[in-house]
Amino acid sequence: MRHWKDDKYDLPDPIIVNPNLNHLQPYPFQKLNQLFEGITPDPAFSPISLHIGEPKHATPDFIRQALTHNLAGLAHYPTTLGTRSLRASIAAWLMRRYNLPAVNPDTEVIPVNGSREALFSFAQTVIDASLPQAAVVCPNPFYQIYEGAALLAGATPYFLNTLPENDFALDYAQLSNDIWARTQLIYVCSPGNPTGRVMSLDEWRQLFALSDRYGFVIAADECYSEIYFDESRPPLGALEAAQRLGRSGFPRLVVFSSLSKRSNVPGMRSGFVAGDAAILEKFLLYRTYHGSAMNPAVQAASEAAWNDEAHVVENRRLYRGKFAEAAALLPIAMPAPIPAAAFYLWARTPVSDVEFAQQLYRDYNVTVLPGSYLARSAHGVNPGENFVRIALVAPLAECVEAIDRMNSLVAALSVRQKN
């Protein structure tokens, strides 16, 4: 290795690292910490955090018990594919939840350590960076893992803005035929983060047609699929849409799901991927080298969670109550319709989203996430600007109190603007 010299030392060259790391942007919560740096919130108000999508409802006792009762499994190396009983419980849940005639637990399901790590590593499996100008398509606003996965796989991310004037739907016409021809992977999120919008069967039909035409893989992020408000109308899933449209074997489609939101176990890091068996075979090969097998005790607890629906129904009841009360209190200056699913309010702000979040924290000790931190400027606009994401994860009383404080801020801003 070459060396360079200063006045005193013969030092090695700087360490060479993956240059794609230089393209990553700070994570939204890092940006938020920087925004709040040096600010001391008004001590008259207790802190309320509604900026991060971390469930706060209690973990069901039966899941905790299943975890502790299976600690003996820590004495054994787990397999990357997990136990067949866990895969069978996931396959059975998919068939019940989405009215699927069959899901093969041996070829169409892989347990993963939460959907986040799988969404990231999936791009490393799918993307062929040797092809010129490899493209990955993402919704905008979006979960930042999509962008990071694309960049570190050597691809270029392109964005589909989801806008209120289009009911936050994906408008595939925003991208040219040239970009679609270079697309190898598209991330979609339904129910959406942050809008809670659920893709319709017709939207899936259009996306499947694009996939058939250009040959790209669809990664469907469904981690919010079990947080919805009408028990008679669960959100349509990607595998369900494929089945209803006669797409046997789920060609070029893989879904990502998680227990974190469904069962209030974000720290357990448990989810699954399911879909196209040929793609999952390659993903399993990648994961074998990646070293991402699930803890045996977590596998046992996950199996118990997927086999039970009563706790999920209760979880939805709690969220339904919070949305009914908190959303009704939002000021007229901050419109945010109750979403079809998920636990976020995507609220328009009377001033810039960054200014609103900073003042809300400083003056009222409430933390929300500026929408522009969840999006990129694309097609001449940042679709997150002048929105904040409010995660109704705190207890009901705190959610109501937070919205009340937002009302106070809006009133104060109105007075300032008049003066």
Side-chain angles (χ1 to χ4, degrees):
M1 179 178 284
R2 301 188 311 275
H3 289 67
W4 59 275
K5 294 183 178 181
D6 65 7
D7 292 339
K8 295 183 178 180
Y9 301 106
D10 186 19
L11 299 175
D13 288 339
I15 296 173
I16 297 173
V17 298
N18 185 344
N20 290 326
L21 287 167
N22 296 323
H23 300 306
L24 299 182
Q25 297 200 29
Y27 211 62
F29 305 120
Q30 290 178 281
K31 292 183 180 180
L32 194 64
N33 289 337
Q34 293 169 1
L35 179 66
F36 293 163
E37 189 173 353
I39 297 176
T40 300
D42 188 336
F45 297 97
S46 60
I48 301 177
S49 296
L50 303 179
H51 64 294
I52 188 168
E54 181 181 55
K56 300 296 184 184
H57 299 165
T59 299
D61 286 340
F62 79 92
I63 298 178
R64 296 160 60 97
Q65 291 168 6
L67 184 68
T68 57
H69 289 173
N70 287 275
L71 292 178
L74 298 180
H76 306 284
Y77 282 118
T79 63
T80 306
L81 192 55
T83 64
R84 193 180 193 282
S85 60
L86 172 57
R87 299 196 311 275
S89 71
I90 293 169
W93 179 80
L94 283 166
M95 289 187 285
R96 290 193 307 271
R97 169 64 174 82
Y98 296 112
N99 300 308
L100 302 175
V103 174
N104 189 328
D106 296 321
T107 61
E108 295 180 323
V109 174
I110 302 175
V112 297
N113 296 315
S115 56
R116 174 174 176 160
E117 68 91 359
L119 286 162
F120 176 82
S121 60
F122 189 67
Q124 320 309 307
T125 302
V126 171
I127 299 302
D128 181 356
S130 70
L131 295 178
Q133 299 179 299
V136 173
V137 175
C138 308
N140 193 29
F142 62 99
Y143 184 37
Q144 196 151 334
I145 295 302
Y146 310 157
E147 179 188 56
L151 291 169
L152 289 176
T156 300
Y158 292 88
F159 299 102
L160 295 174
N161 293 342
T162 55
L163 303 167
E165 52 265 33
N166 193 31
D167 191 29
F168 302 109
L170 292 174
D171 178 5
Y172 306 119
Q174 289 180 21
L175 299 180
S176 67
N177 290 336
D178 173 67
I179 292 175
W180 284 118
R182 293 187 280 109
T183 296
Q184 298 184 26
L185 175 66
I186 181 172
Y187 286 102
V188 294
C189 185
S190 179
N193 171 12
T195 65
R197 191 184 188 280
V198 175
M199 290 176 62
S200 68
L201 186 63
D202 188 59
E203 288 172 88
W204 281 114
R205 180 185 289 107
Q206 294 176 56
L207 184 55
F208 292 150
L210 283 170
S211 174
D212 290 343
R213 180 178 178 182
Y214 295 107
F216 58 76
V217 175
I218 301 168
D221 182 355
E222 297 185 347
C223 72
Y224 297 98
S225 69
E226 303 314 289
I227 309 300
Y228 54 91
F229 310 110
D230 184 346
E231 289 294 328
S232 68
R233 296 182 62 191
L236 176 69
L239 298 183
E240 181 183 12
Q243 174 67 32
R244 288 171 60 178
L245 294 171
R247 299 177 66 80
S248 176
F250 316 119
R252 295 181 303 282
L253 173 64
V254 174
V255 301
F256 298 71
S257 192
S258 169
L259 287 173
S260 295
K261 278 76 173 177
R262 174 188 183 271
S263 298
N264 300 310
V265 288
M268 202 162 77
R269 311 313 306 137
S270 178
F272 68 81
V273 296
D276 187 316
I279 295 175
L280 291 189
E281 181 181 16
K282 298 298 184 183
F283 192 36
L284 178 63
L285 174 63
Y286 174 89
R287 296 178 68 76
T288 301
Y289 281 83
H290 189 53
S292 51
M294 187 185 292
N295 179 310
V298 170
Q299 290 192 56
S302 301
E303 184 176 338
W306 290 116
N307 286 338
D308 182 81
E309 287 298 320
H311 76 285
V312 190
V313 173
E314 171 61 14
N315 197 36
R316 285 194 288 268
R317 184 190 68 80
L318 294 174
Y319 282 117
R320 189 160 53 244
K322 284 192 278 192
F323 273 88
E325 291 201 36
L329 296 174
L330 275 175
I332 295 176
M334 290 186 64
I338 293 180
F343 47 50
Y344 300 118
L345 287 171
W346 187 235
R348 194 182 291 272
T349 54
V351 294
S352 85
D353 54 301
V354 173
E355 179 184 354
F356 183 86
Q358 188 180 56
Q359 292 192 31
L360 184 65
Y361 176 71
R362 182 192 64 206
D363 297 343
Y364 296 97
N365 211 352
V366 174
T367 308
V368 296
L369 190 64
S372 58
Y373 289 5
L374 291 166
R376 298 285 180 264
S377 293
H379 315 293
V381 64
N382 182 318
E385 286 183 349
N386 299 320
F387 285 90
V388 290
R389 193 186 73 177
I390 304 167
L392 294 185
V393 292
L396 174 60
E398 287 191 17
C399 290
V400 170
E401 171 65 19
I403 300 298
D404 186 57
R405 295 182 198 177
M406 289 181 209
N407 274 294
S408 297
L409 174 58
V410 168
L413 288 170
S414 178
V415 170
R416 291 174 202 168
Q417 289 171 351
K418 290 179 180 178
N419 293 337

